[in-house]
Amino acid sequence: MSAEKTHLEICNLTREQYPQIKTLMDEAYPDLGGAWPSHTIFRLIDQFPEGQIGIVDDGVLVGLALSVQVDYARFSNPHTYEDIADGHDRVFSDTTGDALYGLDVAISEQYRGMRLGRRLYDARKELCRQYNLRAILAGGRIPRYYNHSSEMTPMEYIAKVDQKELYDPILSFQLANDFQVKRLLKKYLPEDQESVGYATLLEWNNIMYEPTDTVIESTKSIVRVGAVQWQMRCVESVEEMLKQVEYFVDTVSDYKSDFILFPEFFNAPLMGLTEQSNQTEAIRYLAEYTETFKNAMSRMAIEYNANIITGSMPLAEDDKIYNVSYLCHRSGKIDEQRKIHITPHEQNDWVIQGGDKIAVFDTDAGRVGIQICYDVEFPELSRILATQGLDILFVPFWTDTKNSYLRVRHCAQARAIENECYVVIAGSVGNLPEVESLDVQFSQSAVLTPSDFSFPHDATLNEATTNTEMLLFSDLDMDKLKILHSEGTVRNLKDRRHDLYEVILKKRDI
């Protein structure tokens, strides 16, 4: 077949194409009775026209894929071919079904080797997504099994095909198209001598499936985040700083942001209101206002309808100081995340203690985690969050020099790639000579992404101007993450070698 003369198009099959359908199926299934009768094909076309897909070359049908809608709970369990087609070759499509069932695929012998089967499978997957069906199911023949039936069981044969020790023209193709073998079907098609009557129950999961049909309960597909690159400046009172906070919350909420992220220790200028000779006393002074800021920012989250990550603030508890970030939900709920890894400066000058709990938080715009500055430099924490379904990782940070900033930036980028999630980082800029340890700041807030075709070529969705107070707005496409998890060029989460290594929590109550 000359490629120069080939003009392929995807189409939905019509009744008028039946003679060509019959020719294709007779050629593909000579040992299984050939084509279905016309009344079967007509019923499929009439009941579920979108599920009957063809490929034509200048009007000539050269490939086809037939499908029906079925109930997932019924057909994801053992069944036979007769449960699909009755004794009169009638196949029924269930318009209320929540899964697609793949029937037959046939490619003209002259067109084999052109990967038309992959096109048909991709068309089925797109149909599954458009119809919001939970999966594609299929009973797959294993036509080379008869060559090995005397020396191995069907499951042993399937395992060897999966490991590419053996080749099966149908099973190998289906595995290459991301289908998973769920179980062995016995006596699926008894007259199939090549498969010795066996078949595989194959499943492709639609990761875009949304089981709910109400707008209120549905998960947002586009999430808007606003990061505040905060200018450190002298203030005369707590009220003055809270007004500055509310200004940014008000401004960010005007752009309908779902999340607002502040930097680590953004309210540190308040230490300038007290004597600075002892840094330990200064941080404890700052901690006296943490409850005030937490409650005020929770009120703002409700009033301005945005989830606020409060950067971080010192928390005094049982005569110890912790570095804590609060997630103030717009519902009024408040979650907290304590910094786990404490820098030498925090330990030596402020005597800050490390927390011992990490969690992914459910919000109305996705599952999020918080890592305060230094924590993002430890990949184990993010990996644990990723196993809990992390979508967005927020990293409030505070760095003084460019090399300190780049440690945070590069590690945050790595966390986005290896955990297939978005990472939002926000820091402070400027200087405050009146406050010890606030002499200089360096920041370039950013929104970082995984590195694949669906994302920016440099895996950076957005970034602020360096060392300039500003707001950074970004829209995060959550559907891209779902597709990446299943169909990415590489799949860092899916391809982990659990047989060789694992990351575990020693404290099981975390």
Side-chain angles (χ1 to χ4, degrees), residues 303-409:
E303 292 183 5
Y304 291 97
N305 191 29
N307 302 298
I308 300 176
I309 296 90
T310 66
S312 81
M313 296 174 278
L315 173 68
E317 182 180 273
D318 298 329
D319 203 36
K320 296 180 180 179
I321 298 292
Y322 297 91
N323 187 349
V324 181
S325 179
Y326 296 102
L327 169 55
C328 297
H329 298 252
R330 48 187 161 196
S331 65
K333 178 183 177 183
I334 301 176
D335 287 311
E336 75 167 42
Q337 177 62 63
R338 301 187 180 189
K339 190 172 185 178
I340 305 297
H341 301 92
I342 307 304
T343 64
H345 162 62
E346 291 174 296
Q347 290 177 341
N348 298 332
D349 296 331
W350 290 342
V351 197
I352 289 180
Q353 307 292 313
D356 61 3
K357 291 180 172 61
I358 58 173
V360 169
F361 305 112
D362 286 305
T363 75
D364 55 13
R367 292 174 60 78
V368 309
I370 302 171
Q371 290 184 352
I372 303 171
C373 196
Y374 194 32
D375 280 343
V376 81
E377 299 180 31
F378 297 84
E380 296 87 352
L381 291 184
S382 301
R383 178 48 51 86
I384 292 168
L385 297 180
T387 61
Q388 298 176 11
L390 178 70
D391 296 316
I392 309 170
L393 178 61
F394 290 101
V395 182
F397 70 89
W398 178 15
T399 53
D400 52 358
T401 61
K402 187 173 183 179
N403 62 328
S404 297
Y405 162 74
L406 289 177
R407 282 198 304 270
V408 173
R409 169 69 176 256

Side-chain angles (χ1 to χ4, degrees), residues 54-96:
I55 297 179
V56 296
D57 182 8
D58 275 342
V60 177
L61 188 68
V62 298
L64 62 83
L66 308 176
S67 310
V68 290
Q69 276 182 263
V70 297
D71 177 58
Y72 177 84
R74 168 68 182 87
F75 287 95
S76 61
N77 287 297
H79 62 275
T80 68
Y81 186 77
E82 290 183 352
D83 293 321
I84 295 292
D86 66 16
H88 299 286
D89 285 328
R90 290 179 300 185
V91 182
F92 298 91
S93 187
D94 180 1
T95 57
T96 64

Side-chain angles (χ1 to χ4, degrees), residues 412-430:
Q413 181 70 82
R415 304 298 87 86
I417 293 171
E418 66 198 15
N419 296 303
E420 300 176 350
C421 64
Y422 291 105
V423 179
V424 185
I425 64 174
S428 55
V429 302

Side-chain angles (χ1 to χ4, degrees), residues 1 3 8 62 106-119 167 173:
M1 177 58 57
L8 299 174
V62 298
I107 304 294
S108 171
E109 187 172 355
Q110 300 178 60
Y111 287 77
R112 291 172 191 172
M114 298 178 68
R115 300 190 177 186
L116 300 191
R118 182 177 293 274
R119 293 198 195 192
Y167 173 79
F173 174 76

Side-chain angles (χ1 to χ4, degrees), residues 232 398 400 430-442:
M232 291 289 189
W398 178 15
D400 52 358
N431 56 74
L432 204 62
E434 295 84 357
V435 178
E436 190 75 23
S437 302
L438 284 177
D439 297 331
V440 65
Q441 314 291 309
F442 188 99

